[in-house]
């Protein structure tokens, strides 16, 4: 499973958990919940295969789906 997660991030580049779930992370991890998928990403972070950073992006708000600015966590494959 870890190799599949790393391959997903290597193929699609830096992504948030929500973006990764839309691209198949949920199927790899066997979950539809972002928090459960984040558990597997944190294991890869602790193992040194992924890195995490914070960035400001435009996201859809929950009320009326209006766009807003928010800090998001972006995961990416650690460069060798």
């Amino acid at each position: 499973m870890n190799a599949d997660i790393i391959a997903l991030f290597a193929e699609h580049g830096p992504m948030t958990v929500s973006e990764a779930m839309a691209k198949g992370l949920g199927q790899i991890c066997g979950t539809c919940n972002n928090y459960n998928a984040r558990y597997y990403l944190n294991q890869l972070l602790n193992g040194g295969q992924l890195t995490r950073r914070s960035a400001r992006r435009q996201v859809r708000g929950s009320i009326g789906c209006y766009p807003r600015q928010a800090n998001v966590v972006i995961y990416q494959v650690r460069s060798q």
Side-chain angles (χ1 to χ4, degrees):
M1 173 189 331
N2 290 346
D4 293 334
I5 294 171
I6 292 169
L8 176 75
F9 279 88
E11 179 181 344
H12 296 287
M15 297 182 280
T16 64
V17 174
S18 297
E19 293 167 345
M21 291 294 279
K23 294 189 188 321
L25 180 62
Q27 288 81 16
I28 295 170
C29 297
T31 184
C32 61
N33 189 317
N34 287 6
Y35 292 106
N36 293 342
R38 194 172 288 129
Y39 167 78
Y40 296 105
L41 295 177
N42 285 332
Q43 285 183 331
L44 292 171
L45 278 169
N46 293 335
Q49 287 113 351
L50 290 180
T51 60
R52 174 176 60 197
R53 65 182 167 88
S54 180
R56 194 147 179 87
R57 283 195 180 169
Q58 186 168 332
V59 297
R60 289 199 170 267
S62 59
I63 300 174
C65 294
Y66 294 109
R68 64 182 176 85
Q69 292 288 320
N71 288 328
V72 295
V73 176
I74 299 173
Y75 294 88
Q76 67 186 39
V77 176
R78 180 178 294 274
S79 58
Q80 298 294 326

